[in-house]
Structure formats: C-alpha cells, structure tokens
Amino acid sequence: MHRFHVRTRTRSAIAVAASCLAALLSGCGDDPGPLPSACGEGDQALLTALRSAPGRVRLAGARLSDCLQKGASGDQLQLVGTGFVGAASRLSDRARRKPEGQAALELGYLVAAAHRGGAHTQGVHDELLRRLDQEANSIDTSSRAYRRGARAGRAAG
C-alpha cells in the first residue's frame, strides 16, 4: 500500500513539474516536432521495449532518446516524463532486490538513453533527468548489470 502512494505522488510530482516547465518554455519559439507516438504510451510500453536491452531497444521503431525533444509541448513532456519515471521506479524496485539482474541492466539503459536525448534539449528535460537519476541512485549503480545497460543506452539508446 505504501509503495502505491509513493509512486502516485512521484508521478504526480513529475507531471506537475513537466507542465510548469512546459508553460515557462512555451514562448521559446520552437515548434515541437512530431513526437514518436509510442513515446507517450506509458511505462508498460517502455518496460516491454527494455526487455531487449542491452540489444536494440525501440518503441515502434524510435530510440528512447528520440522521445526527448527540444521543442516538446507540455502535453508531450508530461506523457514522456510520466512513462519514463514510472518505468524507472518499477525497475529500481526490482533492481534493489537483485542488483546484477535484468532490471538493473534495463534501468541503466533507460537512464543513459534519456541523458543521450536530453543532452540536446537545452535544459527542457532537466527535471525528468534528475528524477531518473534519483531512481538510479537508489540502487547499486556500480553493478556490472547497471553499467552494461548504461553503456548500451549511451551508445544506441
């Protein structure tokens, strides 16, 4: 019961932060490009795609880093943020129980792929990246599994 409330608060917090950030940035002049539709399908779609890590991870053909776009609208930021943080939260829960397991590898991939995409968005996704880093830092990021996933996510995510 407690985890449900923590996850609900976490998702609510990221949604509010993403909406506020989008409102602040809406006057920056960039038209949002088309966000790959699969990017907004939520954490379950991400978790399903991440099962292929450290191999090729795609959401309907899109890399995870493609989901973080500089000109994203507020709605897009909220959808992507909610899905990514939700997936990271579920993976970190599992990775704490098994630090060298597949969940740690997938979390490493997800976080690194998000950083890869967010590196080109001039701060638009900083709050999302901060939340993903928090989830990652709740596990042993020095594990071989996590580091292997992070290498793959940086390279191809």
Side-chain angles (χ1 to χ4, degrees):
M1 180 93 158
H2 176 67
R3 278 189 191 169
F4 173 76
H5 293 296
V6 170
R7 282 193 200 137
T8 302
R9 284 184 297 197
T10 299
R11 288 181 181 167
S12 296
I14 192 68
V16 168
S19 295
C20 291
L21 183 59
L24 288 172
L25 296 173
S26 64
C28 291
D30 283 336
D31 264 345
L35 185 72
S37 62
C39 293
E41 291 182 4
D43 57 347
Q44 191 56 50
L46 279 163
L47 291 170
T48 299
L50 283 163
R51 288 184 191 142
S52 327
R56 184 181 164 167
V57 175
R58 298 290 184 266
L59 286 168
R63 294 177 306 181
L64 300 187
S65 59
D66 294 337
C67 294
L68 283 75
Q69 296 181 1
K70 179 181 172 186
S73 71
D75 290 342
Q76 291 170 331
L77 284 170
Q78 185 172 357
L79 285 171
V80 170
T82 301
F84 273 58
V85 171
S89 177
R90 291 171 66 184
L91 290 169
S92 66
D93 285 346
R94 293 194 307 238
R96 277 191 291 280
R97 291 190 296 272
K98 192 172 179 185
E100 290 296 344
Q102 182 68 18
L105 185 144
E106 292 172 11
L107 180 60
Y109 189 103
L110 174 64
V111 172
H115 276 279
R116 181 176 195 242
H120 307 289
T121 63
Q122 297 179 328
V124 171
H125 293 92
D126 282 354
E127 178 61 18
L128 168 59
L129 298 175
R130 186 189 70 74
R131 285 290 299 124
L132 293 174
D133 289 341
Q134 275 185 319
E135 290 296 336
N137 289 330
S138 73
I139 69 160
D140 179 10
T141 57
S142 68
S143 75
R144 287 180 307 179
Y146 183 87
R147 287 184 288 133
R148 183 174 177 218
R151 277 191 307 274
R154 277 190 301 274

